[in-house]
Amino acid sequence: MEPQTPSLIFGLTAIDIATLLAAVATFAVMVAIWAATTVRDPMASRVKALQERREQLKAGITAPRRRASLNQRAEATDLMRNILKKLSVLQDEQMKLAKQQLAQAGIRNKDAAVAVIFARAMLPIVIGGTMCVGVYLLGWFDHLSELKRFGIAAGSLLLSYKAPDIYVQNMVGKRTAAIRKGLPDALDLLVICAEAGLTVDAAFNRVARELGKGFPELGDEFALTAIELSFLTDRRTAFENLAWRVNLDSVRGVVTTMIQTEKYGTPLASALRVLSAEFRNERMMRAEEKAARLPAIMTVPLICFILPVLFIVILGPAACAISDNFINR
């Protein structure tokens, strides 16, 4: 008998394909091991850049390109501020609110508040005005009714006005959720640091370094608070700035506790331990609340997608049998 030739797939035998797959799997395992062993600290590069910038400022040798970019940014900000002042839409309360929202979103550039107010004032004129001119003068959407054309024009005006606020509020919500998730662990670390005998600013600095990998937003806020505690004359101001930058009631409670311990000399570790337990219970209650809402949320997909298929599977054979019987008769 002649020996059987092995079957080929794309010119490769089964042994060749198995060898190739084993090589790919080995390479994937090596890449996974390399990625797991070379995890970088996101705070390290930022601290290094800040230190380099500080040394450059001390030596007085800032780069010309950096100066040029700062000058261009300052000129653009001055232009926007002048336009807003001429339109009489730049108010102090509005600036304070915009700065607080941007700080809560993690943007600490002073010129960003002017840019947000400028976008809020100019976008309705540019986008909404263009849409109104196109709808009522250039004949856009003529095939639609008058009510729908009015809705398009009014909707473009409203959305263009609210777009900067929606964007900033979205950033604030994401950052607040990330800080809320890591706050109980941060309080536990603060308790450990306080019981170890560290000062408050050293404890905040240590917690910022430890939480920088898992919760970079919270680590950033704690690092900034530690810096403010080290150079501000009034430590209460540093804690109040933390509550001002974070839109979270839990952080305000922590700030109130820290201020009271600084003022009355109450034990810090026990107060922070109680707060940590309360925040963990709050997080558990929030998870239980989401789990309790699941039946109501699943009702609509159940009715729209699962029940029709179930009815077809159950009643389909019976309907086919009844149809066959009537046809045979």
Side-chain angles (χ1 to χ4, degrees), residues 8 18 24 47 57-58 65-66 83 91 132 144 156 185 203 213 267 301 310 327:
L8 301 178
V24 172
V47 172
L57 291 175
K58 287 181 179 179
R65 184 178 302 174
R66 178 69 176 174
I83 294 174
Q91 301 176 358
C132 291
L144 298 178
S156 63
D185 297 335
K213 297 180 180 180
L310 186 62
I327 291 173

Side-chain angles (χ1 to χ4, degrees), residues 1-195:
M1 295 178 62
E2 296 181 357
Q4 295 181 354
T5 58
S7 59
L8 301 178
I9 301 175
F10 297 107
L12 300 174
T13 62
I15 297 177
D16 295 335
I17 295 174
T19 304
L20 183 61
L21 292 176
V24 172
T26 304
F27 178 75
V29 171
M30 294 177 63
V31 170
I33 294 173
W34 176 80
T37 55
T38 58
V39 177
R40 295 182 179 180
D41 187 1
M43 296 291 291
S45 60
R46 185 167 185 177
V47 172
K48 184 179 179 181
L50 289 174
Q51 291 177 354
E52 292 178 355
R53 177 63 177 166
R54 187 180 300 170
E55 295 298 330
Q56 289 178 358
L57 291 175
K58 287 181 179 179
I61 52 173
T62 54
R65 184 178 302 174
R66 178 69 176 174
R67 290 180 180 177
S69 62
L70 289 176
N71 291 332
Q72 292 177 358
R73 188 181 302 172
E75 291 176 357
T77 304
D78 292 338
L79 178 61
M80 290 187 291
R81 185 179 285 108
N82 292 331
I83 294 174
L84 292 175
K85 287 182 178 179
K86 290 180 180 179
L87 296 175
S88 300
V89 295
L90 190 62
Q91 301 176 358
D92 294 337
E93 293 296 330
Q94 195 176 14
M95 281 289 295
K96 290 180 181 179
L97 182 60
K99 287 180 180 179
Q100 184 178 9
Q101 290 178 348
L102 290 172
Q104 292 172 357
I107 302 173
R108 299 188 179 92
N109 189 1
K110 296 180 179 179
D111 300 334
V114 180
V116 169
I117 297 174
F118 183 80
R120 191 186 302 166
M122 292 294 109
L123 285 179
I125 297 175
V126 176
I127 299 177
T130 302
M131 187 62 68
C132 291
V133 170
V135 170
Y136 291 106
L137 297 180
L138 300 180
W140 296 355
F141 308 107
D142 284 340
H143 60 283
L144 298 178
S145 63
E146 188 68 24
L147 182 60
K148 292 182 179 179
R149 294 170 64 192
F150 174 76
I152 292 173
S156 63
L157 284 170
L158 182 60
L159 288 177
S160 58
Y161 175 74
K162 298 297 292 183
D165 293 334
I166 293 173
Y167 178 73
V168 173
Q169 288 298 328
N170 188 21
M171 294 180 64
V172 171
K174 291 181 179 179
R175 186 176 177 84
T176 302
I179 292 175
R180 182 189 293 114
K181 189 180 297 184
L183 189 59
D185 297 335
L187 292 182
D188 290 339
L189 290 176
L190 280 177
V191 170
I192 294 172
C193 293
E195 292 177 346

Side-chain angles (χ1 to χ4, degrees), residues 225-247:
T225 304
I227 293 172
E228 290 181 348
L229 285 172
S230 62
F231 74 85
L232 286 179
T233 56
D234 189 7
R235 300 168 67 88
R236 181 189 180 98
T237 306
F239 294 126
E240 290 177 350
N241 289 337
L242 176 61
W244 183 78
R245 291 192 306 267
V246 180
N247 185 22

Side-chain angles (χ1 to χ4, degrees), residues 202-221:
F204 269 86
N205 194 9
R206 181 68 178 179
V207 173
R209 283 186 296 169
E210 294 294 333
L211 293 181
K213 297 180 180 180
F215 306 100
E217 296 85 1
L218 185 59
D220 191 11
E221 293 296 337

